[in-house]
Amino acid sequence: MPKRAEVSVIIPTYNRADEITGALRSALQQTLAPYEIIVVDDASDDATPERVREVSGEDIRYLRHSRNRGASASRNRGIREASGDWIAFLDSDDRWEPEKLERQLKAARDAPETPGLVYTGLSVEEEGGVQVLPKHRGDIYRAQLERDRTGPTSTWL
């Protein structure tokens, strides 16, 4: 039976050979398997391409910019190439908990109207311990317009 085209994971990266494998593995270990994983390499000059090839997965597509264009250009290219119904960004130095996509998709489906964005909290490991963000929860539309309340793009679906 073919996979449903639910979630396309987009991983923008630049010179993150030491981090990309962990990000890819956290995407591959989701309890709700992504429809596809798209890595957009923003012209890395380190071993990032080799590290991506080392991670097996038929649903990993590797795209490469010929010159460095920035993270936003990489995310936008990933969006253009994606075929899933939902987009999830994963920064190449971040990791997801195994149930992230499953829980977010369930929250989106359970909402009275289809939301434009479902976000999660995150844990930030710092010298002084672990900080849990964001402080805001629920419908944060107005607060988000005033200031970023959700944290990095790796929390979005």
Side-chain angles (χ1 to χ4, degrees):
M1 182 164 94
K3 288 171 70 173
R4 291 174 53 198
E6 291 191 280
V7 181
S8 294
V9 176
I10 298 170
I11 304 176
T13 190
Y14 175 68
N15 285 345
R16 290 277 174 79
D18 57 337
E19 297 283 348
I20 189 70
T21 301
L24 282 167
R25 286 195 176 124
S26 79
L28 289 167
Q29 293 171 349
Q30 291 296 297
T31 55
L32 183 146
Y35 176 70
E36 63 188 346
I37 299 171
I38 301 170
V39 176
V40 183
D41 186 341
D42 199 23
S44 294
D45 57 13
D46 68 355
T48 296
E50 291 80 13
R51 295 301 169 281
V52 172
R53 281 191 288 273
E54 289 172 3
V55 178
S56 62
E58 62 187 48
D59 296 325
I60 297 175
R61 287 185 19 209
Y62 176 78
L63 307 172
R64 182 175 171 81
H65 288 161
S66 58
R67 64 178 175 80
N68 187 270
R69 298 172 51 205
S72 294
S74 297
R75 287 186 188 97
N76 288 335
R77 181 168 181 201
I79 290 169
R80 285 191 305 274
E81 297 283 338
S83 55
D85 299 324
W86 291 87
I87 301 290
F89 296 115
L90 175 57
D91 289 347
S92 55
D93 62 341
D94 289 344
R95 308 292 179 269
W96 285 341
E97 293 293 326
E99 295 180 353
K100 179 206 186 277
L101 295 179
E102 181 179 8
R103 293 175 72 184
Q104 281 185 293
L105 203 54
K106 180 181 182 333
R109 288 181 180 140
D110 290 349
E113 296 179 32
T114 302
L117 175 76
V118 180
Y119 67 97
T120 68
L122 71 141
S123 299
V124 180
E125 294 180 22
E126 299 174 330
E127 284 185 31
V130 175
Q131 180 182 12
V132 178
L133 301 170
K135 305 280 187 242
H136 297 79
R137 299 201 185 282
D139 184 351
I140 62 164
Y141 178 75
R142 292 203 183 278
Q144 183 69 16
L145 290 175
E146 295 168 5
R147 186 171 153 235
D148 180 17
R149 308 287 183 175
T150 61
T153 55
S154 291
T155 67
W156 299 353
L157 174 69

